[in-house]
C-alpha cells in the first residue's frame, strides 16, 4: 500500500531557531500534500495545502511566513517552522494525495518541542 | 468546519463488535464518507470509504443509510489494538478533485478486556 515517510519523528529545538520537517511519498506520486497540526487532546487542524511546483495555500490564521512549505517534487514536501517559539510545540502531520487514485495517506507525525 | 457529528467517546468489550455512528445530515450527492482512525501519537490510518452502498474490507464494514444522512462503522471483533480516535469525514471524490480532509473531533473508542 501507499506509504508516506515523515522525518524526523521527534525534534527538540531552542527558541528562535528553525526546524525543517520532511514528508516523502515512497511508492506513489503525490499531486497534493497537506500539513496538519495537532495539540494535545485535540483534533487535527489543517494548516496548509501544497501542490507540486506552486505556492502553498494556507488556512485562515496560519502565518505563511512562519510556516514555510516547499513542494519541489511529486514525492517531497517540507515544512519549515521559522523562529520557533514554545507555543509552536505540537504534533505536525503530513498527508499526501495519490495523483492516480486520489487516496490520502498520512505520515507518522513529528513531535516538535521548542524549549 | 467539520460536516459530521460523532459521539465523543464509546466503550466496547474485547471480541465484541464496535459500532461507531456518524451523522452527516448535510452531505451532498457527490460526497463520499471516509473513516480514519488515529492511534495515540501516530498519523491517521485509512479504514474505509463509501458513497451509498454498504462497504466491507478486511478492517471494517461501513453501513450508510438510504438517505445518506448517517453512517455506522462496524469493527466486527474489536481488539485492544483498536483503541483509537475514529474520525468520520465527508468530502467530494472525483478525478479532478484535490479537496482537503477536514477533521472533526472524532470518537474515542476504548476497547476493554
Amino acid at each position: 500500500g501507499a506509504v508516506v515517510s515523515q522525518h524526523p519523528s521527534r525534534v527538540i529545538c531552542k527558541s528562535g531557531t528553525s526546524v525543517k520537517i520532511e514528508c516523502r511519498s515512497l511508492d506513489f506520486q503525490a499531486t497534493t500534500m497537506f500539513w496538519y497540526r495537532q495539540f494535545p487532546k485535540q483534533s487535527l487542524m489543517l494548516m496548509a495545502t501544497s501542490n507540486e511546483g506552486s505556492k502553498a495555500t494556507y488556512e485562515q490564521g496560519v502565518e505563511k511566513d512562519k510556516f514555510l512549505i516547499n513542494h519541489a517534487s511529486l514525492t517531497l514536501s517540507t515544512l519549515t517552522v521559522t523562529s520557533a517559539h514554545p507555543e509552536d510545540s505540537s504534533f505536525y502531520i503530513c498527508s499526501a494525495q495519490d495523483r492516480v487514485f486520489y487516496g490520502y495517506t498520512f505520515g507518522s507525525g513529528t513531535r516538535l518541542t521548542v524549549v | 468546519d467539520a460536516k459530521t457529528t460523532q459521539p465523543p467517546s464509546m466503550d466496547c468489550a474485547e471480541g465484541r463488535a464496535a459500532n461507531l455512528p456518524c451523522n452527516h445530515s448535510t452531505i451532498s450527492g457527490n460526497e463520499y464518507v471516509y473513516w480514519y482512525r488515529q492511534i495515540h501519537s501516530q498519523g491517521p490510518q485509512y479504514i474505509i470509504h463509501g458513497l451509498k452502498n454498504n462497504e466491507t474490507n478486511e478492517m471494517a464494514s461501513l453501513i450508510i443509510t438510504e438517505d445518506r444522512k448517517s453512517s455506522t462503522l462496524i469493527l466486527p471483533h474489536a481488539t485492544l489494538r483498536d483503541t483509537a480516535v475514529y474520525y468520520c469525514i465527508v468530502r467530494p471524490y472525483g478525478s479532478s478533485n484535490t479537496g482537503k480532509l477536514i477533521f472533526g473531533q472524532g470518537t474515542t473508542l476504548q476497547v476493554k478486556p
Side-chain angles (χ1 to χ4, degrees), chain A residues 1-109:
Chain A
V3 177
V4 171
S5 174
Q6 188 172 342
H7 180 80
S9 58
R10 291 178 178 272
V11 59
I12 300 173
C13 72
K14 292 185 177 181
S15 186
T17 62
S18 296
V19 174
K20 180 183 285 187
I21 302 169
E22 289 190 351
C23 180
R24 293 181 183 272
S25 56
L26 297 187
D27 49 3
F28 67 97
Q29 292 183 323
T31 315
T32 305
M33 289 190 175
F34 305 88
W35 288 94
Y36 294 82
R37 179 169 54 181
Q38 186 176 33
F39 293 108
K41 298 188 184 300
Q42 294 187 22
S43 186
L44 286 77
M45 184 191 77
L46 181 65
M47 299 174 66
T49 302
S50 73
N51 292 294
E52 183 261 340
S54 62
K55 290 184 178 181
T57 301
Y58 291 82
E59 296 298 305
Q60 191 173 9
V62 177
E63 300 174 60
K64 63 179 181 181
D65 294 331
K66 180 170 187 60
F67 298 99
L68 301 180
I69 293 172
N70 183 279
H71 192 162
S73 76
L74 285 172
T75 59
L76 174 64
S77 177
T78 61
L79 168 68
T80 301
V81 183
T82 64
S83 186
H85 291 286
E87 56 266 30
D88 298 323
S89 297
S90 187
F91 191 53
Y92 292 86
I93 307 168
C94 70
S95 175
Q97 185 178 30
D98 186 298
R99 69 181 304 196
V100 175
F101 298 107
Y102 298 96
Y104 296 81
T105 304
F106 287 81
S108 55

Side-chain angles (χ1 to χ4, degrees), chain B residues 3 14 96:
Chain B
K3 299 169 64 175
E14 188 178 19
S96 61

Side-chain angles (χ1 to χ4, degrees), chain B residues 1-55:
Chain B
D1 291 337
K3 299 169 64 175
T4 62
T5 304
Q6 299 176 252
S9 64
M10 293 182 63
D11 290 342
C12 176
E14 188 178 19
R16 304 298 293 270
N19 297 285
L20 292 90
C22 179
N23 181 288
H24 32 79
S25 58
T26 61
I27 192 170
S28 300
N30 67 337
E31 289 184 317
Y32 279 61
V33 180
Y34 286 78
W35 283 85
Y36 283 79
R37 72 180 182 184
Q38 185 180 26
I39 296 171
H40 182 62
S41 294
Q42 297 182 23
Q45 176 190 24
Y46 167 81
I47 301 174
I48 199 167
H49 75 280
L51 181 62
K52 55 182 179 180
N53 296 320
N54 297 339
E55 302 287 345

